[in-house]
């Protein structure tokens, strides 16, 4: 097969877009990706994955990796595009179909220059990014074994086409979740003195939690705490005995991340016990902050400029991205590339400009051999990566 044309890249993207699959259910998606790669005799690694595909191009050492995520979201698409989702209630609303078609294009480009590649490039088509467990599945299956640097991208609907941003250090946040359960005592709504009112206590807990980031941590640190669910009661004239709250905490600093659960626990138990209620906290640790390796972030920005992107140093974001797990094991960097959608990520009308795809294919096709050359040079000179 010759190099994929822009039309080919877009047709892959539209086929993926029409056939989205949820996290850990990307069976047909994985089959499509495998067969498109095999048409060009690109070798696939037999890692025994349930979903997801890992391809490799080139020979010998060193080895770097590129990653695309492949899963979709439980959202009903509202667009009227001819290539809109054919699966009711499932939509590529985060643009992972874009990322996948970019890395498919890169795989084909690298295959064409396989004999002159100064090492190997492994391409990870990763399942289950949205549920934050796909990267760990690939790591456990050995997809990172031998990898010396890793790179990935996310489309950025709020940036114009042709713009690329990244930064050394924290780009995305630690993403943690919590569930708070309150046990009070039910009562007739007309005789609250006979019960322990979980709704009043829960309301005070929500208010107190809002003050926690501002009053327990420096204002120079980024901490966001959002309560996203408040559930209690069944009817209008009964004070409910139980209440459940859910929410999320986003941070960049690991020491703060570690300190927060105890602070929340102390606060909610103090408030609850003042009223004779009991409060428990369940802490759900999500992906760590995405920390780009500064020298690879600089390299990615420099190369972007050379390949025609307008570049900016990114601001840190409070969102999460499970690419962070890879960066805990190997150095590398993650970049944001403008996709100019009028609606944001996870919106039912999200509609990225397909003009993002071809330049991104060129970019990563240049980045891979350059990164391989740099890794060899650094290991020859004994420099730290
Ligand atoms: Zn997403
Ligand atoms: Zn995403």
């Amino acid at each position: 097969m010759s190099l994929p044309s822009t039309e080919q890249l877009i047709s892959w993207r539209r086929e993926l877009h029409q056939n989205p699959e949820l996290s850990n259910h990307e069976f047909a998606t994985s089959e499509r990706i495998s067969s498109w790669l095999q048409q060009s005799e690109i070798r696939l690694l037999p890692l025994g994955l349930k979903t997801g595909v890992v391809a490799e191009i080139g020979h010998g050492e060193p080895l770097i990796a590129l990653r695309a995520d492949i899963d979709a979201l439980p959202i009903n698409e509202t667009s009227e595009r001819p290539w809109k989702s054919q699966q009711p209630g499932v939509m590529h609303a985060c643009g992972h179909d874009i990322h996948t078609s970019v890395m498919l294009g890169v795989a084909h480009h690298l295959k064409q220059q396989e004999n002159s590649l100064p090492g190997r490039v492994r391409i990870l088509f990763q399942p289950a990014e949205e549920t934050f467990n796909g990267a760990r599945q690939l790591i456990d299956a050995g997809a990172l074994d031998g990898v010396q640097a890793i790179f990935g991208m996310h489309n950025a609907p709020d940036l114009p086409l042709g713009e690329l941003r990244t930064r050394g250090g924290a780009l995305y946040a630690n993403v943690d979740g919590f569930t708070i359960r309150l046990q009070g005592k039910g009562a007739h709504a007309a005789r609250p003195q006979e019960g322990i009112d979980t709704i009043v206590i829960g309301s005070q807990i929500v208010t107190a939690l809002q003050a926690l980031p501002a009053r327990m941590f420096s204002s120079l640190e980024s901490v966001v705490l959002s309560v996203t669910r408040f559930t209690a009661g069944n009817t209008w004239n009964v004070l409910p005995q139980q209440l459940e709250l859910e929410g999320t905490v986003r941070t960049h600093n690991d020491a703060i991340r570690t300190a927060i659960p105890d602070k929340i626990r102390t606060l909610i138990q103090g408030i609850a016990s003042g009223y004779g209620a009991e409060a428990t906290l369940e802490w759900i640790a999500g992906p760590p902050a995405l920390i780009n390796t500064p020298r690879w972030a600089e390299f990615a920005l420099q190369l972007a400029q050379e390949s025609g992107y307008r570049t900016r140093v990114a601001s840190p974001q409070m969102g999460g991205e499970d690419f962070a797990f890879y960066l805990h094991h190997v150095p590398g960097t993650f970049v944001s590339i403008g996709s100019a959608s009028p609606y944001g990520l996870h919106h039912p009308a999200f509609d990225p400009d397909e003009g993002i795809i071809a330049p991104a294919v060129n970019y990563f096709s240049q980045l891979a051999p350059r990164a391989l050359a740099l890794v060899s040079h650094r290991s020859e000179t004994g420099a730290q990566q």
Side-chain angles (χ1 to χ4, degrees):
M1 190 180 174
S2 54
L3 280 180
S5 60
T6 302
E7 291 69 36
Q8 172 68 79
L9 294 165
I10 288 175
S11 105
W12 282 333
R13 185 263 161 164
R14 291 184 181 178
E15 188 169 333
L16 293 167
H17 193 83
Q18 283 183 310
N19 299 282
E21 293 175 295
L22 293 176
S23 308
N24 290 315
H25 293 84
E26 309 90 339
F27 296 104
T29 305
S30 301
E31 268 181 30
R32 281 193 171 87
I33 294 168
S34 299
S35 90
W36 290 331
L37 292 166
Q38 282 170 325
Q39 279 166 17
S40 292
E41 294 173 357
I42 294 168
R43 69 180 181 274
L44 307 182
L45 300 190
L47 294 181
L49 299 168
K50 192 176 80 149
T51 55
V53 178
V54 177
E56 203 171 85
I57 301 132
H59 305 282
E61 302 298 324
L63 169 64
I64 64 148
L66 303 173
R67 176 272 216 165
D69 38 15
I70 65 172
D71 55 330
L73 285 154
I75 293 176
N76 213 11
E77 182 162 19
T78 56
S79 139
E80 286 310 318
R81 297 285 202 185
W83 57 87
K84 73 176 280 190
S85 169
Q86 292 174 349
Q87 300 297 325
V90 187
M91 176 190 175
H92 268 296
C94 206
H96 297 181
D97 51 338
I98 298 271
H99 311 161
T100 302
S101 51
V102 166
M103 291 308 171
L104 280 166
V106 175
H108 286 78
H109 269 257
L110 296 177
K111 182 67 185 173
Q112 295 271 314
Q113 35 170 310
E114 184 162 36
N115 293 328
S116 60
L117 266 187
R120 276 174 298 151
V121 180
R122 196 173 283 170
I123 306 191
L124 280 45
F125 294 92
Q126 181 211 300
E129 192 284 325
E130 296 291 354
T131 50
F132 293 140
N133 56 13
R136 277 182 293 188
Q137 291 175 36
L138 258 63
I139 294 167
D140 291 346
L144 273 196
D145 294 357
V147 170
Q148 287 155 286
I150 186 162
F151 303 89
M153 67 168 284
H154 209 290
N155 77 94
D158 53 332
L159 298 184
L161 279 190
E163 187 154 327
L164 184 148
R165 295 187 186 185
T166 189
R167 73 191 302 272
L171 180 63
Y172 292 101
N174 292 306
V175 176
D176 297 312
F178 61 83
T179 305
I180 293 169
R181 294 186 181 86
L182 269 182
Q183 179 71 36
K185 188 174 163 206
H188 194 297
R191 294 189 297 278
Q193 73 280 9
E194 293 172 8
I196 298 174
D197 184 354
T198 52
I199 290 199
V200 167
I201 303 166
S203 307
Q204 293 185 23
I205 284 178
V206 172
T207 310
L209 287 175
Q210 293 315 297
L212 187 146
R215 287 297 169 265
M216 293 196 186
F217 299 103
S218 159
S219 59
L220 299 176
E221 294 290 351
S222 36
V223 183
V224 173
L225 188 159
S226 292
V227 175
T228 53
R229 185 167 70 81
F230 187 105
T231 312
N234 296 308
T235 188
W236 68 284
N237 57 355
V238 176
L239 293 174
Q241 179 144 314
Q242 280 129 357
L243 181 142
E244 225 174 72
L245 297 173
E246 263 188 319
T248 182
V249 178
R250 308 296 172 99
T251 51
H252 289 125
N253 179 322
D254 281 348
I256 290 181
R257 179 191 206 191
T258 311
I260 280 184
D262 277 345
K263 294 206 181 285
I264 293 182
R265 198 173 285 111
T266 307
L267 192 65
I268 65 172
Q269 288 176 345
I271 294 170
S273 74
Y275 287 94
E278 265 180 47
T280 55
L281 173 74
E282 184 188 348
W283 186 253
I284 304 131
L290 187 151
I291 313 282
N292 285 325
T293 312
R295 61 195 303 169
W296 283 123
E298 267 166 48
F299 160 81
L301 279 176
Q302 169 84 36
L303 193 76
Q305 227 162 27
E306 287 171 26
S307 62
Y309 281 108
R310 292 180 305 283
T311 59
R312 283 267 278 280
V313 174
S315 308
Q317 315 275 315
M318 298 316 285
E321 168 52 73
D322 89 343
F323 189 84
F325 287 111
Y326 300 118
L327 292 176
H328 264 225
H329 294 268
V330 293
T333 206
F334 193 73
V335 302
S336 302
I337 305 181
S339 61
S341 164
Y343 299 93
L345 301 174
H346 296 202
H347 190 285
F350 174 65
D351 186 21
D353 191 320
E354 292 171 328
I356 179 181
I357 300 174
V361 170
N362 286 331
Y363 173 66
F364 284 103
S365 302
Q366 291 172 42
L367 180 143
R370 291 272 294 267
L372 284 172
L374 258 177
V375 170
S376 320
H377 176 72
R378 284 176 191 170
S379 44
E380 273 162 26
T381 56
Q384 285 250 310
Q385 281 159 37

